[in-house]
Every structure is written in C-alpha cells, then in structure tokens.
Amino acid sequence: MSATLAPPSPGGAPSGSGAPGAGARVRSALGHAVRSREIAVAVVLLVVVAAATARNDSFLLSGDGWRDLLLTPSILLLLAAGQMLVIVTRSVDLSVGSTMALTAYLTGRLFIDQPGLPIPVVVLAGVAMGALLGVVNGVLVAYAGVPALVITLGTMYVYRGAMLSWAGSDRITADQMPKDFLSLGTSSVVGIPVLTIVALLVVAAVGYYLHTARSGRELYAIGSDPDAARLYGLKVPTRVLTAFVLCGALAGLAGVLHAARYGSVSSSVGNGIELQAVGAAVIGGVAIFGGSGTVWGAAIGAVLLVTINRALPILGIPEFWQRAVVGALILGAVVLDRLLAARRARRLDEERED
Amino acid sequence: MSASTPTRGTAPVGLSKGEARTYASYARPAWQRWLLTRETAVILLLAVVFAWATSSVPNFDGPLTLYYLFLDLMPILLIALPMTLVIITGEIDLSVASTVVLTSAVTGLLTIDAGWGFGQAALVAIAVGALCGLFNGFLVGYVGLPSLAVTIGTLALYRGIAVGLLGTEAKTGFPEEWTDRVKERIGETSYPQVLVVFGVLAVVFVLLLHFSGFGRGVYEIGLNDEAARFSGVDVARTKLLLFVLAGAVSGLAGVYYTLRYDLARGDAANGLELQVIAAVLLGGVSIFGGRGALHGVVAGVLLIGVISSAMRLQGETENVTTIVIGLLLIASVVTPSFLSWVSGRLPAGVKGAFSRSRRT
C-alpha cells in the first residue's frame, strides 16, 4: 500500500510546505482502501453482519450463529477460489457444479462399497476425480481454441448426466457414511469449524501461488493479453490446463466436503452453484475478461453471497427476495468496476496532458 | 466471354489474364458456397437422426409424437431466434430463462390475483419481457459492460424478482379457453397452432438477419465492432434492440409456458437458457460472433428435440440424453479446429481437399 511506503514524519508535515501533509496521506490511504475491491466488499460484509446482529443477537453471538457464519460459506469459497483461477486466464468453468455432484456421489459410494477405506484416501480420491474432470475441460479448452463457456457448458451436461445415470434414484444418507467422516463436516478446532480452516488454507495456498509462483503470475499475463503472452513465449495452453485442473480439483474437494457437511448426497447437489461461484468472483473484483483480481476478493465475495442469504430473513426481508438481492449485487459490482476503470483512464489522460 | 457480361468468377476490370485466372480459382463455385457449410452438416445430421428415430421407435413420425415434440420445443424454438442474433454480435444473454419465469409470474399475478383479462395480462407480460431486455441492452450497448457478467447478474435478479413476487405459491387455474387454445392443432394435421406463431416470427427474424441492412450490421459487429462503428453501424443501438427482442420473445415464451402447463411458479424453466445456447451453437453459430444462419439454428433445436424425444421413447433415461447433447455440443465446436489441425499436418497433395474449408 502506498501509504505505508511513505517515510514517517512525526508531528506531521507543516501545512503549506509543499510536502504532502498527514491529512493528504490519510486521504490517499482511505482512497486506496475504497478503491481496493477486497476492502470495499469486506466492509459491506461487516455491515451486513452488524445489521443482522443488531436485529438478532444470535446471528453472530450464539454458538450456532458463529459456527454457521463460518461454516456455511466454506464450500462456495473453495469453488470461488477455483473459478477465480480460471477467470483470471479469461476463461470460465460452468461445469464445477456437476463436478462437485460427481465427487460427492463418488465419496458416498466409496464409503458404501469399500467400508475399510481410510478417510484420507477417500478425500484424495474425490480430489483426484475432480482434477481428472478438470483435465478433460482443460485439454478441450486449451488445445481446441474454443471459448471455455461452450466447452464447459457441454461438460456441465455430460458430468451431470453421468452423475445422474450412475446414481440412478439412490440417495446416499448419513447412516451410510462413517461417523468420523461426518464429524469432519461439523467439528471445530478452538471455535473454528474444520471446513472453514480447510477453505482458508486453500485460499491462502491459491493466493500464494498466484502472487509468488512464476506460473501463477503467468496466469495474469495470459488473461490480460493472450496473444502477447503467446508471443512472449509463455506456455499458454499448459497454464490454462493447469488452471482448469486446479479448479476441478477444488470442485472435487468441495464435493467431498459437501458430503461431509450435509451427510447426504442427492441428485441435486451443486445445481446452479456454478453461477454463484462466478458471481462470487465477480462481486469480489475479479474481472470477467481476465487479467485482474485476487483470490481474497473472490473468497470475500463468496462469504458475502452466503451471508446475505442468511441475513435477509433476519433483516425482515422475506427470504424469497434473496436471489434478487444477489443479482443486484453482481450488477452493482460490474457497474462499479466500469466506473472505477473509466475514472482511472481519465486520470491517466490528465496526467499525460500535464 | 465478353467483358460486359459479368459472370461468376470473372475478375474485376484491369487484371491481366493470369491474375484473372488466379482470382477466379479462389472464388468458390456457388454450389460449394451454399452447400459446404456447417448448416448443411447440421441439417444432414438432423435427417440422419430422424431416420434413425423413425426406424428404431415405432410410430416416431406419427402425429402424436410430432405434436408433443413441437409443443415441448416451442420455448427453445422461439428464444433461439433472437439469441442467434445476440450471439452473432459476439454477445450472450444468460437471463432469458429468468425472463420467462418473471413474465410467467406477471401473467399469473395479473390474471389469477388481480382478475385481469388474459389478453391484457399477456401484453403486459411481453412488455415486461421487453423491459428486462432493455435493461440488459442498455448496460451492454450503452454502458459497455460485458454481456456475460451483466446477464449472470440479471439471471439472478429477474428470477429473484419472480420468486419474490410469487413466494412458494404457484398460480394455476388459467382460463381453459386459453390453455386449450395453445394446444390446438392446425386443422386436421398433427401440428400445433403455436407453430404458426413461430413460423411468422421466424420469417420476421430471417428477413431481419439475412435480408436487411440491420442484419448485415449484426454480422459486422460480430466480426469486428470497431470496424462496424467506423463503417456507420450504430453498434450500441443494434445491441440494445437485439436484447429488447430477446426479452420480448422470452416474454412471449413465458406466456406460452404459463398456458401450456397451466402453471406459474418460481422454479420453472430452470436451465432453459443453457438449452437455448446449446441449440444455437449446435446450429453452427460461432460463439466468437460474426458467423451463423437461422436455418442452421432451427435444425439445431430440432436435433436436440428429436434426440431427446427418441431416446425417451426408447426407454432411455433423461440422463443419457443429457450426456448425448453435451457430447454433441462439444463435438460441434471442437470438430472444426480438429479438422484444421489435421489439415495442417497432411501431405501437400491431400491438403488441397481441406484448404478451402474455412476455419470458424
């Protein structure tokens, strides 16, 4: 942040000396915070939580309220982090909901068919299954030169169809899965649910990868200008494939955790959740045309989406209006992006003229 | 051949004989231009699938099967018309199914709750649909926002408003006079009367896209909207109009939906937008914009309809149909790039056979 880089000047600079005063620095820090989408969305999130808590203490202060606040968003958080990786490269993955459904069912099936299997093996199997489905998407997108929207629309149908024909009319219920596995979905460590810890670790890992690993930085370069990235010699198809494999693996993990959290797998798991994941990323400031955004933004966007859903009834708005509010939020985020971009462009123009 | 009678393949004035020959050799003969297209491939595939369906399902071409085929496909058929134009400009509209639900809710609330006449309610519903499209079109055309992001937002917004207005209630009990009318047949034939409505709309859209300056503008925008702007196409207004058309037709589909099932409820038409887009892309429209034709799209919709109906009648579950449609969609977009990849690796002699196939 620019404000922290400025040398400290105890007592503040005298006004009128020409050096930027403390007031100006505070203002620039504030401006930075307002312009930073992650902070803006986090503020909205805090306002929603504060308003809901003011209306009904138990939203935050009761044990259940605190747990739900942290636990409920964790699955969407994983999907939003994966989706963010893909969107940064100027693609989109509509198949995550179906991938999640397939791995959730696989998880249940493994517990039923192979009762002796240790839990970590099952979790890994789910992640591997997701990664494999991601490989299919990634190969088709990266090497066929067709927009991801179309390919993943196709695989969304194929994966969902595969899940439904595999599952038939079965429904896996809690008593068919081991207790230890189910407790993974509900237990907590020092007041923080395990699923939330897993989700936060994943977000941190993705953030670290995107900001420090060379291949992570390259994802941004590819999203900003695919042709330039190719001319520069970046391995564009390989990187895009990587993004899809990671997205698939995270969707796979989300499927496993869904089974653990809800203790049942029905045919409707993950229906429509792909659009929520894209929406979370967009709200969190990830540009839908690639090249910008952070995984923290996508994560906060996911938490905001889920928390708003829980807060609305408490705030006296009938729960039926949830989707409308979510839609308005997504539109607001997209319009805000455009306004900020236009202001930045105008300022650059002015600087050039000076 | 005298210079005054221009024929196909003749070179512009001022070329040498050798140059003229080269020029003519690059112009594809008319039959190739008209027949070697993706639309032809889709229509052929439709014919093959229909032949397979009639031979493997008893009475597939019987009156009842076709009657229900068209009744079920009607919303997709209708919405695919404006969606084709939207996608040819390089945009997309994911909010159409939500518009269908919202207009269906409006129809239900006005007739069942407010006691309006059905005709007026239907008109208002279509107007609401057009308004939904106007909002999308304004944000995309004039504010310049990406349509994918805008319509993901309005997808949630419009359905959210519909669910908010209806709650968990479902409106039912529409006047029988109307619910029966949408199911009536044309005379003694096996075709439902709504097909006439589709036919009229299809003619309008074909004239608009393929035989008007406006339609040429639509293709130009899809190929290069900057260039289109400089050649005098009002890009913003064209996009606005297309989204309004998509909204209004979705409104019409919403009214149809309400009558066909005698039901208006918030969770109806789930995933319809993706079915429409799949059908349009299957019909040979390029997702990059600038390419496609309406006859291909109609064939694409019918292809999906025939496959699902035939597989259902053969006792396959809907899930297998879903897989087949997904694979078909992927194949339809991957095949052209696969062919051009193959042709790039063929020996020179064989290559000639592929060299004129345009990569889309």
Side-chain angles (χ1 to χ4, degrees):
Chain A
M1 247 185 244
S2 60
T4 55
L5 292 174
S9 59
S15 58
S17 70
R25 248 183 292 126
V26 167
R27 234 175 295 135
S28 115
L30 267 179
H32 191 89
V34 170
R35 275 196 300 276
S36 148
R37 176 62 78 70
E38 292 77 18
I39 294 176
V41 178
V43 169
V44 176
L45 176 63
L46 288 180
V47 169
V48 170
V49 172
T53 312
R55 193 55 88 82
N56 183 346
D57 281 357
S58 64
F59 185 76
L60 178 63
L61 301 178
S62 72
D64 274 355
W66 170 248
R67 215 192 58 173
D68 280 353
L69 186 72
L70 293 175
L71 191 55
T72 318
S74 48
I75 288 165
L76 185 62
L77 222 127
L78 292 174
L79 293 176
Q83 194 67 247
M84 184 269 165
L85 281 165
V86 170
I87 294 181
V88 153
T89 67
R90 216 181 254 202
S91 293
V92 69
D93 189 348
L94 293 182
S95 71
V96 287
S98 307
T99 301
M100 190 179 142
L102 256 175
T103 56
Y105 189 73
L106 172 81
T107 308
R109 236 4 316 154
L110 280 178
F111 282 127
I112 295 170
D113 297 342
Q114 315 278 336
L117 226 49
I119 291 169
V121 173
V122 174
V123 174
L124 279 181
V127 174
M129 170 88 153
L132 199 70
L133 299 176
V135 169
V136 175
N137 285 331
V139 166
L140 286 170
V141 171
Y143 297 98
V146 180
L149 181 74
V150 188
I151 296 287
T152 57
L153 178 62
T155 53
M156 179 183 98
Y157 279 126
V158 175
Y159 297 168
R160 175 70 62 179
M163 185 263 178
L164 293 175
S165 16
W166 187 20
S169 53
D170 310 356
R171 182 189 169 93
I172 292 171
T173 51
D175 53 301
Q176 292 169 305
M177 288 190 267
K179 285 221 162 48
D180 288 346
F181 177 69
L182 294 175
S183 73
L184 192 70
T186 43
S187 63
S188 25
V189 179
V190 289
I192 302 174
V194 174
L195 288 198
T196 312
I197 297 175
V198 171
L200 288 178
L201 284 178
V202 164
V203 169
V206 171
Y208 183 80
Y209 167 71
L210 277 172
H211 285 269
T212 47
R214 187 191 174 110
S215 59
R217 301 305 306 164
E218 286 180 5
L219 293 183
Y220 282 98
I222 292 167
S224 321
D225 193 338
D227 292 333
R230 198 169 295 118
L231 282 177
Y232 186 69
L234 301 188
K235 294 184 195 119
V236 176
T238 318
R239 295 284 172 265
V240 172
L241 176 62
T242 311
F244 272 97
V245 174
L246 290 176
C247 180
L250 289 182
L253 183 59
V256 176
L257 297 188
H258 186 281
R261 161 94 166 94
Y262 296 98
S264 74
V265 180
S266 69
S267 59
S268 65
V269 170
N271 248 344
I273 206 167
E274 60 279 340
L275 291 173
Q276 279 190 54
V278 177
V282 170
I283 289 176
V286 181
I288 196 93
F289 282 131
S292 79
T294 64
V295 71
W296 296 109
I300 299 172
V303 176
L304 179 64
L305 271 188
V306 172
T307 307
I308 280 194
N309 277 353
R310 292 187 43 242
L312 281 184
I314 294 176
L315 295 174
I317 302 167
E319 54 181 318
F320 307 121
W321 289 95
Q322 285 168 2
R323 290 188 70 148
V325 173
V326 169
L329 260 182
I330 295 176
L331 282 176
V334 177
V335 172
L336 183 70
D337 268 341
R338 174 47 53 111
L339 289 179
L340 293 180
R343 221 174 69 177
R344 214 159 33 239
R346 208 170 45 239
R347 188 156 307 155
L348 282 176
D349 274 352
E350 279 165 12
E351 278 172 15
R352 208 170 297 146
E353 277 162 23
D354 284 347
Chain B
M1 221 176 279
S2 78
S4 59
T5 53
T7 42
R8 173 177 48 75
T10 37
V13 192
L15 292 184
S16 76
K17 226 170 193 172
E19 282 172 331
R21 205 175 300 127
T22 318
Y23 185 91
S25 75
Y26 277 104
R28 299 199 302 166
W31 70 269
Q32 278 191 10
R33 266 183 290 132
W34 289 101
L35 292 180
L36 292 186
T37 62
R38 288 187 63 183
E39 283 73 25
T40 319
V42 181
I43 293 170
L44 279 179
L45 188 58
L46 174 62
V48 170
V49 168
F50 191 77
W52 160 77
T54 44
S55 68
S56 62
V57 180
N59 260 331
F60 185 79
D61 50 354
L64 212 58
T65 317
L66 290 182
Y67 170 70
Y68 280 110
L69 179 76
F70 283 119
L71 275 190
D72 289 345
L73 277 184
M74 194 47 60
I76 303 183
L77 270 173
L78 288 173
I79 301 172
L81 295 172
M83 185 70 91
T84 303
L85 275 65
V86 168
I87 295 182
I88 289 178
T89 63
E91 303 290 347
I92 198 156
D93 189 348
L94 294 176
S95 72
V96 286
S98 300
T99 309
V100 167
V101 178
L102 178 56
T103 52
S104 172
V106 168
T107 315
L109 288 169
L110 287 181
T111 47
I112 309 287
D113 289 8
W116 286 33
F118 185 81
Q120 293 144 296
L123 281 181
V124 171
I126 294 171
V128 167
L131 209 63
C132 289
L134 186 75
F135 185 57
N136 286 334
F138 173 74
L139 290 177
V140 173
Y142 288 93
V143 185
L145 298 172
S147 55
L148 183 64
V150 167
T151 56
I152 283 180
T154 52
L155 170 124
L157 181 65
Y158 300 158
R159 191 179 282 273
I161 296 175
V163 174
L165 289 173
L166 287 173
T168 48
E169 268 183 273
K171 304 287 172 205
T172 182
F174 291 91
E176 251 172 55
E177 175 201 349
W178 287 92
T179 51
D180 286 348
R181 188 171 294 183
V182 293
K183 295 189 191 116
E184 261 171 44
R185 294 155 196 258
I186 308 171
E188 298 294 301
T189 66
S190 55
Y191 302 104
Q193 278 185 355
V194 278
L195 216 50
V196 177
V197 179
F198 168 73
V200 171
L201 262 180
V203 168
V204 170
F205 274 95
V206 166
L207 289 177
L208 192 66
L209 178 63
H210 296 300
F211 297 95
S212 78
F214 179 82
R216 264 192 300 284
V218 169
Y219 283 102
E220 273 188 71
I221 294 171
L223 290 169
N224 185 339
D225 59 349
E226 200 74 2
R229 192 171 297 121
F230 280 112
S231 63
V233 177
D234 191 335
V235 176
R237 201 182 58 195
T238 305
K239 286 183 179 173
L240 178 83
L241 189 64
L242 292 185
F243 277 97
V244 171
L245 283 174
V249 173
S250 303
L252 182 66
V255 173
Y256 168 79
Y257 213 92
T258 316
L259 291 181
R260 161 89 165 87
Y261 300 102
D262 186 19
L263 191 65
R265 55 186 287 173
D267 60 355
N270 251 335
L272 180 70
E273 66 280 351
L274 297 177
Q275 286 179 39
V276 172
I277 291 166
V280 170
L281 298 177
L282 207 57
V285 176
S286 163
I287 187 80
F288 297 107
R291 199 208 171 285
L294 280 168
H295 62 286
V297 169
V298 174
V301 181
L302 293 179
L303 187 59
I304 287 186
V306 169
I307 289 178
S308 10
S309 154
M311 292 183 77
R312 191 171 56 236
L313 291 171
Q314 279 183 326
E316 289 289 359
T317 56
E318 205 174 316
N319 317 323
V320 182
T321 316
T322 308
I323 297 178
V324 170
I325 290 172
L327 289 177
L328 207 58
L329 176 66
I330 295 172
S332 77
V333 290
V334 171
T335 312
S337 32
F338 179 70
L339 284 182
S340 76
W341 180 82
V342 167
S343 78
R345 272 157 193 75
L346 288 175
V350 194
K351 218 168 170 176
F354 284 94
S355 63
R356 280 179 185 161
S357 64
R358 279 171 302 160
R359 192 178 167 188
T360 46

